[in-house]
Amino acid sequence: QVQLVESGGGLVQAGGSLRLSCAASGRTFSTYAMGWFRQPPGKEREFVACISWRTGRTYYADSVKGRFTMSRDNTENTVYLQMNSLKPEDTAIYYCAVEVDGYGLYNTYDYDYWGQGTQVTVSS
């Protein structure tokens, strides 16, 4: 089992920045990738970014490329999502997830463990 705890959400004006954190504990040695997803109000959960735990390579949704940066601290089993130039359409609950099987990176069904989510609200 892997436990995930997100933090760092909040209310910010358009154009502002937030930094989300996700701390992993438990069987973290089995991690293949960690990802960030978000679920806007009334919509399905969608991919935002992920990082390969072995290579450190990052992948981003087109909607956040150039604005969001995902990074990790291996020693702390923590990942971060730096979000700059935020837009009202970035408003969502942001979830951290762990993928252990190596079958995929971009879909919710690829991931095995999920955090409880943190709310990000961007006002116009």
Side-chain angles (χ1 to χ4, degrees), residues 5-58:
V5 178
E6 302 103 331
S7 61
L11 173 63
V12 64
Q13 288 188 330
S17 299
L18 281 175
R19 188 194 195 205
L20 305 184
S21 301
C22 174
S25 60
R27 295 174 60 89
T28 56
F29 59 85
S30 60
T31 300
Y32 176 80
M34 289 188 72
W36 286 99
F37 287 75
R38 67 186 182 187
Q39 188 162 13
K43 296 184 179 181
E44 294 187 351
R45 198 171 298 189
E46 63 184 20
F47 171 77
V48 174
C50 68
I51 187 166
S52 165
W53 212 245
R54 182 178 65 85
T55 67
R57 183 174 177 179
T58 52

Side-chain angles (χ1 to χ4, degrees), residues 38-41 46 88-94 118-122:
R38 67 186 182 187
Q39 188 162 13
E46 63 184 20
E89 51 263 44
D90 294 318
T91 294
I93 300 174
Y94 283 71
T118 185
Q119 177 70 47
V120 172
T121 303
V122 184

